[in-house]
Amino acid sequence: MRKPFASVAMAPFSLRCRLQTSALSNKRFKPKAKQGMKNMEKSFKRLKSEMEEISEEQKSIREGQRQVKEKFEMVESECEELKRETRLVIQQSARTQVKLALMFRILKAREADDLSTAATLTEMLREIVGREREESKADI
């Protein structure tokens, strides 16, 4: 069994040891404070260089994005041009089909000796060809 008196008598001694130990440890912290400043300076320099690297990477990314945007705009422009050309080809094809149908009907009318119908159809064909020529001159 422990004696209560013995533990109380020990308390001041252990407190004194703790105070002495903490006083010694305070002396040890002062040199560490200088080391801490050096470490902080190193950390600051490292962070600064990392920030510069990140800044360069961001510039590179922005340049890449700009190039991608330019390429996208070029592709988009080419796509619009292809759509326009496709519409023109479709229109020309439709006109060609109309002209061929008129020519076929003109031939059939001549075979049947229906010269008035053949003349009317021929006049229609001439008007269509005349409009196409006017449009092509306007485009130039």
Side-chain angles (χ1 to χ4, degrees), residues 42-86:
K42 287 179 184 178
S43 295
F44 181 73
K45 287 179 182 178
R46 182 179 47 82
L47 287 174
K48 188 175 179 181
S49 68
E50 287 177 5
M51 287 173 60
E52 288 172 358
E53 288 176 21
I54 291 170
S55 177
E56 290 298 318
E57 288 174 3
Q58 287 175 339
K59 285 179 186 177
S60 174
I61 289 170
R62 280 193 293 271
E63 178 64 22
Q65 287 174 335
R66 185 189 62 77
Q67 290 174 355
V68 168
K69 182 180 177 184
E70 285 178 4
K71 288 179 183 178
F72 179 77
E73 288 172 352
M74 286 175 44
V75 168
E76 201 171 43
S77 174
E78 290 176 12
C79 181
E80 290 300 319
E81 180 66 20
L82 288 173
K83 285 180 184 178
R84 188 182 69 76
E85 289 177 6
T86 302

Side-chain angles (χ1 to χ4, degrees), residues 4 6-7 12-13 28 32-34 43 55 60 62 68 75 92 99 109 111 121 127 131 133:
S7 64
F13 176 73
R28 290 183 200 149
K32 285 186 180 179
K34 290 181 183 177
S43 295
S55 177
S60 174
R62 280 193 293 271
V68 168
V75 168
Q92 289 173 347
K99 290 188 289 186
E111 284 179 356
L121 294 173
E127 286 178 21
R131 278 192 231 137
R133 286 183 182 159

